[in-house]
Amino acid sequence: MPYIVSVGTAVPDHTLQQEEAREFARELFRDAFQDITRYLPIFDHASIRTRRLARPREWFEEDRSFAERNDAYTETACRLGEEAVKQCLERAGVHPGEVDHLFFVSTSGLATPSIDARMIHRLGFSRHVKRTPIWGLGCAGGASGLARAYEYTLAFPESRVILLAVELCSLTFRRGDHTKSNLVATSLFADGAAAVLIIGNEAPFPAGLSGRPRVLDTMSTTWPNSLDVMGWEVEDDGLKVLFSRDIPSIVRREVPAAVEGFLTRSGLDLNRVGRVIAHPGGMKVLTAYQEALSLPEEAFRHSRSILGEYGNMSSVTVLFVLERELQEEHQAGSYGLVTALGPGFSSEMMLLQW
């Protein structure tokens, strides 16, 4: 089966403390809510300490056009994407020219030619490298992109594949949107990039690396009558964020059966899964996962840590959690579950074995 070999990550230079984000929101939303003080505790309950932004906080104090924000997206996505891919390949000792396929995932900006096309000559990929840009998967995109890369290496077992995910959620921020969804987004979202190298089982395994997990199975689920749970509405000045307050309830109601059905296909149950590599959409979602699956806090240790250090970077975040997981030693034969939720409303899961 294909292996996950290495992960590289990158974040912008501008750091935002959560206390600073809360005060920014107090000023921006105070006239939109009768008592803004009632809503500000969501910044504390998010359990986020710091986040990284593509532009300094002061940049967001002025109105920006959709075009201006999207130009910033393209510039920053290329820079962070290059950094993440270089780090990923260097850790594996693989030259960019040896990569056969580049998958690119994002939902927070638009570019044609797509960001993956801009990476080809910038990074020294072969001019014949195949590429697949994927847009619109939101927070599920990291896990879904991993699954699509796995399927490619399963079909072409001699291949090496890079998944690159870049999200610059801060650049979707619209000062004129005074909805509660935008307030919640202001308390959660951040920017970052991550690249993952997946190789087929007939490709030469990089020297000096051991203890890497192989991918055993994946499963996608899209629940009916759930299109309004999460997503964007396209407005004249950009992308308007949509959130349902029911997401933790949906996790508790739907996820246990989905996880059980997925693991049963491999003859497993949750008692055999040592660690859950979950996209930390927010602390309420992580708590709902833990309660719904009856798992200890330790199972989500890296997810909680990444959320606190980096915030919710949409599709990228689960790949940061995966990077932490690869830095640890695992008992041979142990299992891990990658899971993320996104617009649709949908779930993507992946079963790993060390």
Side-chain angles (χ1 to χ4, degrees):
M1 306 298 286
Y3 284 85
I4 293 175
V5 177
S6 60
V7 180
T9 57
V11 291
D13 296 329
H14 307 290
T15 301
L16 180 71
Q17 303 293 330
Q18 188 73 334
E19 295 85 355
E20 192 176 4
R22 183 175 59 237
E23 293 311 306
F24 175 83
R26 182 195 299 274
E27 291 300 313
L28 182 66
F29 290 94
R30 63 181 179 181
D31 294 333
F33 295 91
Q34 194 167 28
D35 183 8
I36 184 60
T37 305
R38 286 184 52 224
Y39 296 94
L40 293 179
I42 65 174
F43 286 82
D44 301 316
H45 299 157
S47 297
I48 296 170
R49 299 184 299 279
T50 59
R51 285 178 274 165
R52 298 298 186 92
L53 306 182
R55 293 292 185 268
R57 183 189 59 78
E58 294 76 17
W59 191 85
F60 298 94
E61 293 178 353
E62 299 180 15
D63 289 329
R64 305 285 177 177
S65 69
F66 190 11
E68 184 179 3
R69 285 181 279 123
N70 201 70
D71 285 345
Y73 166 86
T74 302
E75 180 272 321
T76 309
C78 288
R79 179 164 45 84
L80 295 184
E82 179 179 8
E83 184 180 340
V85 171
K86 280 183 175 178
Q87 185 186 103
C88 175
L89 292 176
E90 286 171 1
R91 287 176 172 175
V94 172
H95 187 274
E98 298 176 292
V99 174
D100 302 289
H101 200 126
L102 173 61
F103 286 83
F104 175 71
V105 168
S106 188
T107 309
S108 47
L110 304 172
T112 302
S114 52
I115 301 300
D116 48 290
R118 299 163 195 254
M119 294 286 102
I120 302 303
H121 301 300
R122 188 167 179 149
L123 280 161
F125 286 105
S126 164
R127 67 175 64 185
H128 304 297
V129 68
K130 296 176 176 64
R131 54 188 184 87
T132 302
I134 306 174
W135 197 89
L137 293 171
C139 293
S144 184
L146 272 181
R148 304 295 81 78
Y150 151 77
E151 289 160 358
Y152 185 87
T153 54
L154 198 62
F156 301 97
E158 72 289 349
S159 62
R160 300 177 181 89
V161 175
I162 284 284
L163 163 67
L164 171 62
V166 180
E167 300 289 5
L168 304 174
C169 303
S170 71
L171 297 178
T172 68
F173 177 74
R174 299 161 56 250
R175 286 183 55 83
D177 181 2
H178 294 158
T179 62
K180 188 173 181 182
S181 286
N182 197 32
L183 177 63
V184 172
T186 305
S187 75
L188 288 176
F189 282 118
D191 303 341
V196 185
L197 174 64
I198 303 101
I199 65 170
N201 61 0
E202 294 181 15
F205 198 88
L209 294 176
S210 60
R212 295 302 190 260
R214 44 187 197 133
V215 182
L216 301 184
D217 195 11
T218 68
M219 187 174 81
S220 302
T221 304
T222 302
W223 288 285
N225 304 315
S226 61
L227 295 178
D228 58 348
V229 172
M230 181 189 297
W232 298 123
E233 283 185 356
V234 180
E235 302 285 345
D236 289 341
D237 61 343
L239 302 172
K240 177 182 178 180
V241 65
L242 297 178
F243 270 132
S244 169
R245 62 185 298 176
D246 296 329
I247 294 174
S249 299
I250 295 172
V251 171
R252 291 184 176 92
R253 183 175 69 246
E254 303 289 355
V255 166
V259 170
E260 181 181 0
F262 176 53
L263 295 178
T264 298
R265 300 195 322 197
S266 297
L268 300 173
D269 57 35
L270 268 173
N271 293 326
R272 299 283 304 280
V273 176
R275 191 66 56 83
V276 179
I277 303 163
H279 165 67
M283 189 52 64
K284 286 186 177 180
V285 175
L286 280 180
T287 300
Y289 260 121
Q290 182 183 335
E291 294 174 354
L293 300 178
S294 300
L295 290 172
E297 285 192 15
E298 174 65 17
F300 299 91
R301 176 165 58 93
H302 291 317
S303 294
R304 294 177 187 275
S305 176
I306 292 297
L307 180 66
E309 294 174 41
Y310 297 101
N312 182 344
M313 299 172 284
S314 190
S315 69
V316 174
T317 327
V318 73
L319 305 181
F320 272 61
V321 180
L322 178 62
E323 181 187 36
R324 290 278 171 91
E325 209 58 62
L326 293 185
Q327 292 169 354
E328 292 197 351
E329 292 187 6
H330 293 78
Q331 184 178 353
S334 62
Y335 296 95
L337 175 67
V338 179
T339 178
L341 299 168
F345 185 63
S346 61
S347 159
E348 191 76 42
M349 291 185 284
M350 171 177 281
L351 180 63
L352 306 180
Q353 184 178 37
W354 274 265

